[in-house]
Amino acid sequence: MPTAEDVRAIALSLPETLEKLAWGRPTFRVGGKIFASLADDDTSMGVKCPKEERAELIAAEPEKFFLRPGHDDNYDFMRVRLAALEGADELRAILVDSWRQVAPRKIADAHPGLAGTAEA
């Protein structure tokens, strides 16, 4: 089961990622934009996800994906339960996808081989 430290290690391994505290919790940013954050209890993380895709993901795997009521409805984010992930490869794939959604084009274009499990 991936841990909060795994989230931190993988997120910080992505190009030009910085960790910054916000709301008393670690957030991970590229180009100044948040692509991931850890929950208060370190058992879940928030990641970037288009609103139009969230419902399908949550319906398909409700034990893995969820929304924080009253907060996530207003943003293109959803929550991921770390204990429900199949391992580090799945965690990395989710973080890379979230990173690519917010990375400035110049940074993303400089890393075209960045995929869920390895960087080319």
Side-chain angles (χ1 to χ4, degrees):
M1 169 184 87
T3 66
E5 284 308 311
D6 295 324
V7 171
R8 177 174 281 110
I10 292 170
L12 291 174
S13 76
L14 299 174
E16 300 195 37
T17 294
L18 300 173
E19 180 175 344
K20 182 177 179 181
L21 284 179
W23 313 285
R25 298 302 309 150
T27 63
F28 303 94
R29 302 164 186 246
V30 60
K33 295 182 180 178
I34 297 172
F35 70 90
S37 62
L38 285 167
D40 292 343
D41 61 4
D42 289 344
T43 64
S44 66
M45 66 177 176
V47 293
K48 186 80 169 163
C49 182
K51 289 179 186 177
E52 58 274 7
E53 294 177 20
R54 294 186 314 194
E56 184 177 333
L57 288 167
I58 292 167
E61 297 184 88
E63 72 287 348
K64 188 178 295 184
F65 302 112
F66 67 102
L67 296 178
R68 191 171 80 187
H71 183 269
D72 295 330
D73 340 340
N74 301 319
Y75 302 99
D76 286 343
F77 268 78
M78 72 174 177
R79 306 294 157 162
V80 181
R81 290 181 183 90
L82 298 179
L85 296 176
E86 294 176 20
D89 286 344
E90 184 177 24
L91 173 61
R92 179 173 172 74
I94 291 169
L95 286 169
V96 166
D97 182 62
S98 186
W99 180 91
R100 291 197 71 77
Q101 289 181 59
V102 303
R105 178 176 226 131
K106 182 178 179 181
I107 296 172
D109 288 351
H111 301 279
L114 190 59
T117 56
E119 184 175 347

